[in-house]
Amino acid sequence: MPRRHGGAPTIPPQVEYRLTETGQRLAAAIGALADWSREHKDRIADARRHPGCRARRLNTCRGRANSA
C-alpha cells in the first residue's frame, strides 16, 4: 500500500512514495511467489502444454518421465 509524502513546495512539484508496512509484507509474499514460480517454471510450462495430463498421479505425461 503506497503512502504519499509531499515535502516543501518545489517547482516542478515533487512527491515521494513509500510502501506502508502492510505493503512491504505484501511485497515479501509476492517475492516468495515469484521465487516459487521460477523454481517450478518447467513443470508449469508442461502443465500448460498438456492441460489434461494427470502426471502428478501417473508419474508420466505423454511418454515423458515426471521429474517431481
Side-chain angles (χ1 to χ4, degrees):
M1 315 301 126
R3 180 178 291 158
R4 182 178 181 205
H5 296 275
T10 60
I11 297 177
Q14 291 183 314
V15 178
E16 183 178 317
Y17 292 91
R18 295 184 192 138
L19 283 178
T20 62
E21 182 180 335
T22 302
Q24 290 173 359
R25 291 175 59 203
L26 179 60
I30 291 171
L33 179 60
D35 292 343
W36 178 91
S37 66
R38 281 189 289 273
E39 184 179 326
H40 295 90
K41 67 182 179 181
D42 293 337
R43 290 188 75 182
I44 293 168
D46 283 345
R48 288 180 176 163
R49 280 192 294 273
H50 310 291
C53 180
R54 298 180 312 172
R56 185 175 281 174
R57 280 183 262 155
L58 301 177
N59 284 336
T60 60
C61 184
R62 305 207 180 188
R64 287 183 53 187
N66 186 8
S67 58

